[in-house]
Amino acid sequence: MTERSAYHHGNLRRALLDATAAVIAERGVAGFGLREVARRAGVSHAAPAHHFGDATGLLTAFAVEGFTLLGTTLAAAPIEPHDPVLGVGIAYVRFAVDHRPHFEVMFRPDVVRAEDPALLAARATAIRPLTAGLRAAAVASGTPASPGDLEGVDLDAVALGAWAQVHGLAVLLLTGNIPDSGETVEALVRRVSTATDAAVLAWAAPTGRRRARPAVRS
Amino acid sequence: MTERSAYHHGNLRRALLDATAAVIAERGVAGFGLREVARRAGVSHAAPAHHFGDATGLLTAFAVEGFTLLGTTLAAAPIEPHDPVLGVGIAYVRFAVDHRPHFEVMFRPDVVRAEDPALLAARATAIRPLTAGLRAAAVASGTPASPGDLEGVDLDAVALGAWAQVHGLAVLLLTGNIPDSGETVEALVRRVSTATDAAVLAWAAPTGRRRARPAVRS
DNA sequence: TGTACATCAGTGAACGCGCGTTCACTGATGTAC
DNA sequence: TGTACATCAGTGAACGCGCGTTCACTGATGTAC
């Protein structure tokens, strides 16, 4: 970025969004405020109102940016052959850890204009890869998937369950509810996914008849 | 509660905790403040400090109450034969919806004395039924479970995955990220659980060999 | 049963703080001629 | 190329607000004698 005049900032919008991330990273969403953000951006305290109207406006824009970023991240996640959403899930939790300030605002409807069309659109686009991964897998497996249904499986419910699980992992991680095992986020998500699959396979057999097949991971 | 003197409240601690729930229910955690809580409890604005020291103290006590309540709720949840944690999971999400103010504070380390021993103890006790359900199922199935391991399944990871999933569902519900389908919380959790199990069973087979067995729900 | 006193729960006035919002302004930039 | 002017980004002083905290206090309660 080239040197600008002291008066006109040049890209204050960008600077304010960056300052927002910095403030939230240091003090949490509760520590956020227009004056504090302006201070960090090296600008008068009334300047943010010019770009975003009010605090909610700034945070809404910040959340939109977060969802857009999440969308590209998830869309770029690799699809693993044995589990169509594992790659997306790993990317999701990584995003939450790597972009904590964004993530924390994105799911705080009390602090954002929750009905903002741009926000809703960005969110819908962002989470699409979760369902898309499942449908792609359905097609690839040779079973023409009627909408929302594959071999009798409610795909929407599966997608919601997968979303909930990775979202829960992200939230529990960020709130310090998962003891640090020293493993990477990727390893953690893989471990949970593998264990869950194994448990389902081990226990889904009708009661009374023990399964002959050992658990998948064996 | 019998009529007390106007001066000595009698059970101000209780009243302040109740007022906290009311404030958060109406205005969210961000709208919480000692003066507002005192106002609702019909008491001077300096009174809360007598009982809780400061705002963080009050919210910490509120979170402890929440975890204690969650603990009794989960411990009382029925254990279903085919899924040792489904009952607990349903109870978990129900708790979040039924006691939203508590739930929102319980997982906000920025707003609570996160290292408070009473808080940590109450939390540990509360989530125990998640792992306990799995271990009980292991014993009941006749397999003496070596700690953390059942038929090669990492039980701790399964418990964490189950916790994450129901926590994620709760958070997504409370933040308005799950479209209202009109179904009860119980039905929603069951649907997700069933679909997930079915998907695992349908797709866990080695690639190339299609499963003969139809998906569980068929 | 009655009196004195210690304890402690709750009061209310005062303080300083950071916040969001408003508004007349100023300085830089771009465009018309 | 030069001048005038409109536009608009950002300023800074002022305001009112609700907050948390402090502190000397007052009123009720319980206990010792």
Side-chain angles (χ1 to χ4, degrees):
Chain A
M1 195 180 296
T2 69
E3 190 67 21
R4 290 311 206 92
S5 77
Y7 204 90
H8 281 100
H9 185 284
N11 201 354
L12 184 52
R13 184 190 151 88
R14 179 73 260 142
L16 290 172
L17 288 170
D18 291 344
T20 298
V23 172
I24 295 177
E26 269 182 41
R27 309 200 191 176
V29 180
F32 166 87
L34 286 187
R35 287 178 108 108
E36 176 63 21
V37 162
R39 220 171 281 134
R40 301 226 181 196
V43 103
S44 97
H45 64 260
H50 263 273
H51 285 266
F52 299 103
D54 57 12
T56 303
L58 207 182
L59 288 181
T60 303
F62 189 67
V64 169
E65 180 177 73
F67 274 118
T68 304
L69 199 49
L70 176 64
T72 25
T73 304
L74 295 192
I79 294 188
E80 313 213 354
H82 295 311
D83 187 333
V85 285
L86 181 55
V88 176
I90 292 169
Y92 191 96
V93 181
R94 278 214 63 79
F95 174 88
V97 171
D98 290 345
H99 301 90
R100 178 173 186 151
H102 282 94
F103 189 80
E104 284 181 343
V105 172
M106 286 155 64
F107 296 96
R108 287 283 300 273
D110 54 320
V111 109
V112 136
R113 258 191 293 281
E115 308 304 327
D116 184 275
L119 182 63
L120 292 177
R123 197 195 63 176
T125 302
I127 65 176
R128 193 159 300 142
L130 273 161
T131 24
L134 291 172
R135 288 199 198 293
V139 171
S141 76
T143 310
S146 61
D149 218 71
L150 168 67
E151 292 185 9
V153 179
D154 179 349
L155 277 190
D156 289 328
V158 176
L160 179 56
W163 184 16
Q165 190 168 53
V166 292
H167 191 83
L169 280 175
V171 170
L172 292 176
L173 269 176
L174 294 185
T175 53
N177 281 282
I178 299 180
D180 186 6
S181 60
E183 67 192 336
T184 63
V185 164
E186 173 166 353
L188 173 69
V189 178
R190 276 189 196 282
R191 187 161 60 87
V192 167
S193 172
T194 304
T196 301
D197 287 356
V200 170
L201 290 174
W203 292 347
T207 327
R209 181 170 71 78
R210 302 303 313 280
R211 297 187 59 81
R213 178 142 63 93
V216 147
R217 208 184 193 179
S218 66
Chain B
M1 194 180 298
T2 70
E3 191 66 19
R4 290 310 208 93
S5 76
Y7 204 92
H8 281 100
H9 185 283
N11 201 353
L12 184 52
R13 185 189 151 88
R14 181 71 259 143
L16 289 172
L17 288 170
D18 291 345
T20 298
V23 172
I24 296 177
E26 268 182 40
R27 309 199 189 177
V29 180
F32 166 86
L34 286 187
R35 288 178 106 107
E36 176 62 21
V37 162
R39 220 170 281 134
R40 300 226 182 197
V43 102
S44 98
H45 63 260
H50 264 273
H51 285 266
F52 299 103
D54 56 12
T56 304
L58 207 182
L59 288 180
T60 302
F62 190 66
V64 169
E65 180 176 74
F67 274 118
T68 304
L69 199 49
L70 176 63
T72 25
T73 303
L74 296 191
I79 294 188
E80 313 213 355
H82 295 313
D83 187 332
V85 286
L86 181 55
V88 176
I90 292 169
Y92 192 96
V93 182
R94 278 214 62 79
F95 174 87
V97 172
D98 290 345
H99 301 91
R100 177 172 187 152
H102 283 94
F103 189 80
E104 284 182 343
V105 171
M106 287 156 63
F107 296 96
R108 286 285 300 272
D110 54 320
V111 109
V112 136
R113 258 191 293 281
E115 307 305 326
D116 184 275
L119 183 63
L120 293 177
R123 196 195 63 176
T125 302
I127 64 176
R128 194 159 301 143
L130 272 161
T131 25
L134 291 171
R135 287 198 200 293
V139 172
S141 76
T143 310
S146 60
D149 218 72
L150 168 67
E151 292 184 10
V153 179
D154 179 348
L155 277 191
D156 289 329
V158 177
L160 179 56
W163 184 17
Q165 191 167 54
V166 291
H167 191 82
L169 280 175
V171 169
L172 291 177
L173 269 176
L174 294 184
T175 54
N177 281 282
I178 300 180
D180 186 6
S181 59
E183 67 192 335
T184 63
V185 165
E186 172 165 352
L188 174 70
V189 178
R190 277 190 196 282
R191 186 161 62 88
V192 167
S193 172
T194 304
T196 301
D197 287 357
V200 170
L201 290 174
W203 292 349
T207 327
R209 181 170 70 77
R210 300 305 312 283
R211 297 187 58 79
R213 179 142 63 92
V216 147
R217 208 183 192 179
S218 66

